[in-house]
C-alpha cells in the first residue's frame, strides 16, 4: 500500500478521496480528528460506507528504535515524549502529561489491557465520596460492540474466573495468556486467601517463551514486532487497506472549528499541515483527540458549550503502583501482565466499591531509573529482579471543579483528588494480600497529575443538554454534525482500563451515523 499521505496530497491523481487544493483546502464527507482508539475505530466502522473519510493525526508514525535500546529510549532518554507541557492550575507549574502524539495514540505504548467495563459501571452508583454518574446508554447496548471490538483487537481472555465479568454474547476470540511459573505461584496464594484472581483480557499475541521475552518491556513501550494489538495495526491500517476512500494525513493539527452563521452546524476545521495553514471543509466532524485536547479544541473554537461543561468533570483515576519484594526469590517472569483481582471492585456488604488490582509489565532497573535518577542502577536491578509489580486503580468521581481549560495554546488542568479513602482501603487490602503471598517488603507510590493516560469526562454524555455536552449517540447537543468518540464523553471513569470501551463506543457511534444516512 502506498503512503496514504501521498495519495491525499496528489492533486492530479484520479479516483476517490480527499484532495488538498492549491489554496490549502480539503473537502471531505467525514473528518476524524485523532487516530487513537476512538478515531481509528470510527474510521474502521466507515469502511465500505462510500463516504470520503479523512483521519487527521497531529503526530507521525513512531520512529524506529532498536529493540535492545527501547527501554532506555523510553524511560531514561524520553525519546518518545512529543507532547507539549501542560500546566497544573494549583501552582502554575508545567508537567509532562502521560500522552503521546503518534498514529495509534497512546495504544502504541499501553500494556494491551482490554477489559470491558462492568454492567454496574454504566449505572449511577454511590461511592465512598459522592456518586459514580450513570451513562445515557447501558451495558446491553454496548455489549455487541464490545464483542466486535474484542475480535478486532484479537483479545485473549477467560470468562469463568472473575465474578464481576459481565455477560458476553460470545466467548473471547482467543484463549487467555497463561501465567508464567512465578505468577502462577502468586495466583495460587491469592486463591488460598479466598480471592478470585483471573486471567486478564489482553491484546498481546505471543506463542513462545522467547516471544514473551522479546515483549518484556511492551507495557509502556512500543512493540515493533506488532505483537501488541493497537489502534493502528488492528483498526486504522486495515481500514486504509480495505477502502481507498478512507485517508490518513499525519502532522495535521486541527486548531479551530468553524460554525455556520446559524450556529447549528460546523462548516470547516482550520489547522496546520506540516507548518502550513489548511482548511478542511467537512460535512461531519468526529473528535477523538483525547479528553484534554478535545475539550481544549472546543473551548478555543467557542462551540458546543452552552452547558458550560466543556472541560469540566475531568477524571484520571486514583492510581498506585505497588511493588512487593522477596529478597531471596527472583521473579523470572517475562510477560507479567496476565493476572487481575476484582474482589473489591463492586460494593460489598460493609464497604463501597474500591477498585481493581492488575499487574504491571515487569519492571526493570531502566524503567525505575526515570523515577529515581539518584539511585544506583545495581540497587534498582536487585529490587526489580525480586519484585512483583502491581497497578491499583480506583474510581475518580466526576467533579465540575476538576477541569481542563485553554489559556491560548496552553492546556491548564485543575485536578483535586477525590475518593481517596476508598483507594487507600484498596491499597491496604492488596498490601496484606501481597505480604501473605510471600513478599515481606512492600513499596507503594501514589501517582499524580501527570499519570493521566486514563483521563476522561470533559464532554460528558447525557440526555439533558443543560447537564451534558453530547447526547446518548455522542452527538453534540448544540451542533447537528459534530460527534465525539474519545474518553471525554465518559460520564464516569469506572476503575478499569478504558481502551476497549472507547473503541466499542466509537464503533457504536459510527454505526448510528451510517444508519442515519441510509436511504
Amino acid at each position: 500500500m502506498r503512503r496514504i499521505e501521498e495519495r491525499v496530497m496528489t492533486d492530479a491523481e484520479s479516483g476517490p478521496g480527499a484532495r488538498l487544493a492549491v489554496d490549502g483546502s480539503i473537502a471531505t464527507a467525514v473528518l476524524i480528528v485523532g487516530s487513537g482508539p476512538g478515531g481509528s475505530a470510527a474510521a474502521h466502522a466507515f469502511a465500505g460506507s462510500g463516504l470520503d473519510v479523512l483521519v487527521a493525526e497531529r503526530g507521525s508514525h513512531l520512529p524506529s528504535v532498536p529493540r535492545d535500546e527501547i527501554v532506555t529510549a523510553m524511560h531514561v532518554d524520553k525519546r518518545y515524549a512529543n507532547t507539549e507541557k501542560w500546566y497544573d492550575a494549583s501552582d502554575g507549574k508545567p508537567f509532562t502529561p502521560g500522552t503521546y502524539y503518534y498514529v495509534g495514540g497512546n495504544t502504541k505504548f499501553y500494556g494491551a489491557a482490554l477489559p470491558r467495563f462492568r454492567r454496574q459501571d454504566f449505572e449511577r452508583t454511590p461511592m465512598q465520596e459522592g456518586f459514580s454518574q450513570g451513562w445515557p446508554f447501558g451495558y446491553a447496548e454496548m455489549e455487541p460492540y464490545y464483542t466486535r471490538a474484542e475480535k478486532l483487537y484479537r483479545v485473549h481472555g477467560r470468562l469463568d474466573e472473575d465474578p464481576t465479568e459481565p455477560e458476553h454474547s460470545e466467548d473471547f476470540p482467543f484463549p487467555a495468556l497463561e501465567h508464567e511459573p512465578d505468577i502462577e505461584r502468586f495466583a495460587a496464594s491469592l486463591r488460598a486467601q479466598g480471592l478470585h484472581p483471573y486471567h486478564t483480557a489482553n491484546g498481546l499475541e505471543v506463542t513462545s517463551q522467547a516471544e514473551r521475552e522479546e515483549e518484556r518491556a511492551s507495557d509502556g513501550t512500543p512493540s515493533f514486532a506488532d505483537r501488541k494489538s493497537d489502534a493502528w495495526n488492528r483498526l486504522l491500517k486495515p481500514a486504509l487497506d480495505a477502502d481507498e476512500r478512507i485517508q490518513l494525513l499525519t502532522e495535521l493539527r486541527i486548531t479551530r472549528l468553524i460554525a455556520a452563521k446559524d450556529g447549528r452546524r460546523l462548516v470547516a476545521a482550520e489547522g496546520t499541515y506540516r507548518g502550513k495553514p489548511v482548511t478542511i471543509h467537512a460535512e461531519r466532524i468526529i473528535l477523538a483527540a483525547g479528553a484534554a485536547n478535545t475539550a481544549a479544541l472546543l473551548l478555543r473554537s467557542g462551540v458546543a458549550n452552552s452547558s458550560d461543561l466543556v472541560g469540566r468533570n475531568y477524571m484520571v483515576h486514583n492510581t498506585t503502583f505497588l511493588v512487593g519484594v522477596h529478597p531471596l526469590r527472583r521473579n523470572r517472569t517475562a510477560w507479567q501482565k496476565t493476572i487481575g483481582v476484582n474482589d473489591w471492585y463492586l460494593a460489598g456488604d460493609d464497604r463501597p466499591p474500591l477498585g481493581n488490582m492488575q499487574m504491571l509489565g515487569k519492571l526493570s532497573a531502566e524503567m525505575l531509573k526515570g523515577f529515581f535518577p539518584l539511585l544506583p542502577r545495581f540497587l534498582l536491578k536487585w529490587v526489580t529482579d525480586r519484585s512483583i509489580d502491581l497497578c491499583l486503580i480506583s474510581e475518580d468521581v466526576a467533579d465540575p471543579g476538576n477541569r481542563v481549560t485553554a489559556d491560548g495554546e496552553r492546556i491548564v488542568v485543575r485536578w483535586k483528588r477525590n475518593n481517596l479513602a476508598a483507594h487507600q482501603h484498596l491499597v491496604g487490602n492488596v498490601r496484606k494480600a501481597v505480604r501473605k503471598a510471600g513478599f515481606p517488603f512492600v513499596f507503594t507510590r501514589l501517582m499524580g497529575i501527570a499519570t493521566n493516560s486514563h483521563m476522561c469526562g470533559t464532554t460528558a454524555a447525557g440526555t439533558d443538554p443543560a447537564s451534558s455536552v453530547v447526547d446518548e449517540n455522542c452527538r453534540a447537543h448544540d451542533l447537528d454534525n459534530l460527534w465525539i468518540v474519545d474518553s471525554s464523553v465518559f460520564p464516569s471513569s469506572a476503575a478499569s482500563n478504558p481502551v476497549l470501551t472507547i473503541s466499542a463506543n466509537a464503533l457504536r457511534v459510527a454505526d448510528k451515523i451510517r444508519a442515519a444516512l441510509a436511504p
Side-chain angles (χ1 to χ4, degrees), residues 310-429:
V310 170
R312 295 185 181 273
N313 297 304
Y314 175 81
M315 297 170 278
V316 295
H317 282 153
N318 289 304
T319 304
T320 289
F321 290 175
L322 184 148
V323 175
V325 178
H326 190 304
L328 303 179
R329 182 191 299 156
R330 293 173 65 90
N331 181 2
R332 294 177 171 82
T333 305
W335 183 253
Q336 184 173 248
K337 203 173 180 68
T338 59
I339 187 174
V341 171
N342 274 335
D343 287 72
W344 307 291
Y345 193 92
L346 305 178
D349 294 336
D350 58 350
R351 57 158 180 79
L354 302 183
N356 166 264
M357 183 205 94
Q358 60 184 261
M359 306 299 297
L360 291 166
K362 188 68 197 77
L363 292 180
S364 67
E366 290 78 9
M367 292 177 181
L368 290 187
K369 192 69 174 174
F371 286 103
F372 306 104
L374 299 181
L375 292 180
R377 186 182 181 282
F378 78 86
L379 179 59
L380 296 175
K381 186 176 187 305
W382 186 91
V383 171
T384 56
D385 282 350
R386 294 160 177 79
S387 69
I388 194 164
D389 317 299
L390 308 176
C391 179
L392 313 182
I393 300 173
S394 299
E395 185 152 350
D396 182 17
V397 176
D399 176 354
N402 286 343
R403 64 185 303 192
V404 170
T405 56
D407 179 11
E409 290 300 304
R410 301 199 318 177
I411 289 178
V412 180
V413 178
R414 181 178 300 279
W415 179 59
K416 182 179 179 182
R417 196 187 299 275
N418 62 45
N419 202 34
L420 184 58
H423 184 63
Q424 291 171 331
H425 191 172
L426 174 67
V427 173
N429 288 350

Side-chain angles (χ1 to χ4, degrees), residues 55-247:
V55 180
E57 170 53 53
R58 67 183 294 178
S60 60
H61 287 278
L62 277 171
S64 179
V65 173
R67 182 177 286 111
D68 58 357
E69 298 176 15
I70 187 66
V71 175
T72 299
M74 183 80 204
H75 297 284
V76 180
D77 299 338
K78 309 294 183 184
R79 199 179 306 177
Y80 289 103
N82 65 352
T83 309
E84 71 278 4
K85 295 289 186 181
W86 296 358
Y87 291 82
D88 185 342
S90 66
D91 57 16
K93 293 181 178 179
F95 67 93
T96 301
T99 191
Y100 300 89
Y101 302 147
Y102 291 103
V103 177
N106 273 19
T107 64
K108 299 302 296 185
F109 301 88
Y110 77 150
L114 292 163
R116 300 183 179 200
F117 281 9
R118 278 35 194 161
R119 175 178 288 278
Q120 293 86 342
D121 287 327
F122 295 91
E123 302 167 356
R124 191 171 189 266
T125 303
M127 309 297 288
Q128 186 151 346
E129 298 178 34
F131 286 82
S132 175
Q133 298 303 313
W135 294 44
F137 51 90
Y139 178 80
E141 180 161 346
M142 284 286 286
E143 199 286 327
Y145 294 99
Y146 273 135
T147 298
R148 186 166 150 193
E150 285 168 347
K151 291 177 180 177
L152 292 173
Y153 279 112
R154 301 176 62 85
V155 177
H156 299 248
R158 284 181 60 170
L159 291 177
D160 59 346
E161 298 176 309
D162 178 7
T164 74
E165 186 72 41
E167 63 274 19
H168 288 225
S169 56
E170 299 182 31
D171 201 349
F172 285 107
F174 296 92
L177 297 180
E178 294 301 326
H179 303 320
E180 294 178 45
D182 289 315
I183 301 305
E184 179 54 46
R185 182 188 300 113
F186 180 52
S189 176
L190 296 176
R191 287 192 290 268
Q193 296 178 45
L195 300 174
H196 300 83
Y198 61 92
H199 289 76
T200 53
N202 196 275
L204 185 74
E205 296 205 25
V206 285
T207 59
S208 67
Q209 189 61 28
E211 290 182 351
R212 284 184 179 238
E213 291 287 348
E214 289 180 352
E215 300 298 332
R216 175 184 288 269
S218 287
D219 183 9
T221 64
S223 167
F224 286 109
D226 265 353
R227 296 192 185 101
K228 183 168 65 176
S229 294
D230 61 49
W232 163 247
N233 63 14
R234 299 294 183 243
L235 300 174
L236 184 52
K237 186 177 185 298
L240 298 174
D241 290 342
D243 189 343
E244 65 176 356
R245 288 185 176 272
I246 299 175
Q247 312 270 324

Side-chain angles (χ1 to χ4, degrees), residues 307 309 464-468 477:
S307 63
L309 289 174
D464 183 358
S467 59
S468 58
H477 289 297

